[in-house]
């Protein structure tokens, strides 16, 4: 069964739930609500990776995420930390996180792989070609899914060389990262290139711009695409991800994805 990762963004500037859960208690309450709605993992992040977002320093990031992780772990939740920083990854695992979710796959911080190896945590490797500021300049592909699979394999090799066993690795094609518009659909259509690598596969489509673009194209003249509609579009991608053999989906609206997965499973007779 496809697992659901619930997103707990502890940032003032995330495009999708910016600022609302900045306060520790509210972030913890939000995380626990996502768990009650069916999230198997809570993914806690303190730095927005949205296009154009400014980097935050590791101390600020840690001040945001560590107290939230500690409380969620104390409540019995399985927690992953969404970070590009080795020191944050190490401190988060110390605080009880079981998974390090690094959208850069080890490219953003030269110390990340050693920190993850040392921590013993599982390692989610994202496909990445540079920081938010210039990622779209890197979005050139001939056969996107094959190229992404090849680059992820390189990251797995680098992680293994640093002491992270491939069995601890989770692969993520990085939807929206160095991929513009229809390139994201091309990537999803070719997902078997990634699942074929034999590792657990995670995808994150939740509320992303390519979904909004698709809904706008389907409904000419409608500029405004509400959060509820983005969550419905996300739930559809979750059902299709289940069909594609994905191990986990990372979403904001856990309840909608839980329902979508239940319906897709029923269709499959499971
Ligand atoms: N996307 C975002 C942040 N973290 N982590 C993984 N593994 N995969 C993703 O696609 C991903 C991620 C950006 O979205 P957000 O700002 O809504 O969290």
């Amino acid at each position: 069964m496809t697992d659901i990762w619930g997103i707990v963004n502890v940032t003032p500037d995330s495009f999708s739930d910016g600022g609302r859960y900045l306060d520790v208690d509210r972030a913890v309450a939000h995380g626990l609500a996502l768990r009650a709605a069916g999230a198997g993992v809570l993914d806690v992040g303190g730095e927005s990776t949205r296009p154009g977002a400014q980097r935050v320093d590791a101390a600020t990031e840690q001040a945001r995420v560590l107290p939230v992780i500690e409380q969620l772990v104390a409540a019995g939740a399985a927690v992953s930390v969404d970070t590009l920083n080795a020191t944050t990854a190490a401190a988060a695992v110390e605080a009880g996180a079981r998974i390090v979710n690094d959208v850069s796959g080890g490219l953003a911080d030269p110390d990340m792989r050693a920190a993850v190896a040392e921590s013993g945590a599982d390692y989610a490797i994202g496909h990445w070609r540079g920081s938010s500021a210039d990622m779209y300049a890197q979005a050139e592909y001939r056969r996107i899914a094959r190229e992404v699979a090849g680059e992820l394999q390189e990251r797995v090799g680098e992680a293994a060389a640093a002491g992270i066993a491939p069995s601890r690795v989770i692969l993520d094609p990085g939807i929206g990262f160095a991929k513009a518009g229809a390139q994201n659909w091309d990537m999803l259509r070719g997902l078997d290139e990634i699942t074929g690598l034999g590792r657990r596969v995670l995808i994150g489509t939740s509320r992303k711009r390519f979904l909004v673009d698709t809904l706008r194209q389907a409904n000419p003249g409608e500029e405004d695409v509400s959060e509820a509609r983005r969550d419905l579009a996300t739930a559809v991608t979750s059902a299709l991800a289940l069909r594609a053999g994905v191990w986990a989906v990372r979403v904001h609206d856990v309840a909608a994805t839980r329902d979508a997965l239940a319906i897709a499973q029923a269709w499959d007779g499971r």
Side-chain angles (χ1 to χ4, degrees), residues 118-143:
E118 165 84 20
S119 76
D122 281 1
Y123 188 34
I125 289 179
H127 176 259
W128 197 75
R129 286 184 175 179
S131 65
S132 321
D134 66 5
M135 63 167 106
Y136 293 120
Q138 313 295 326
E140 277 194 27
Y141 304 88
R142 270 182 297 164
R143 300 182 64 181

Side-chain angles (χ1 to χ4, degrees), residues 62-163:
Q62 287 163 36
R64 291 175 181 173
V65 299
L66 295 180
V68 175
I69 292 172
E70 277 163 14
Q71 289 193 43
L72 291 174
V73 168
V79 170
S80 124
V81 62
D82 186 349
T83 185
L84 300 170
N85 291 310
T87 57
T88 302
V93 176
E94 192 75 17
R98 297 182 198 175
I99 304 170
V100 175
N101 173 23
D102 173 6
V103 298
S104 84
L107 295 178
D109 184 338
D111 298 328
M112 181 61 103
R113 296 182 192 106
V116 175
E118 165 84 20
S119 76
D122 281 1
Y123 188 34
I125 289 179
H127 176 259
W128 197 75
R129 286 184 175 179
S131 65
S132 321
D134 66 5
M135 63 167 106
Y136 293 120
Q138 313 295 326
E140 277 194 27
Y141 304 88
R142 270 182 297 164
R143 300 182 64 181
I144 188 167
R146 183 150 299 186
E147 288 173 57
V148 168
E151 288 170 40
L152 285 173
Q153 277 290 65
E154 286 175 32
R155 302 288 89 75
V156 175
E158 291 155 0

Side-chain angles (χ1 to χ4, degrees), residues 39-57:
V41 172
L42 299 176
D43 188 37
V44 181
E47 175 180 351
S48 174
T49 49
R50 77 191 161 117
Q54 297 300 311
R55 297 291 316 263
V56 300
D57 62 88

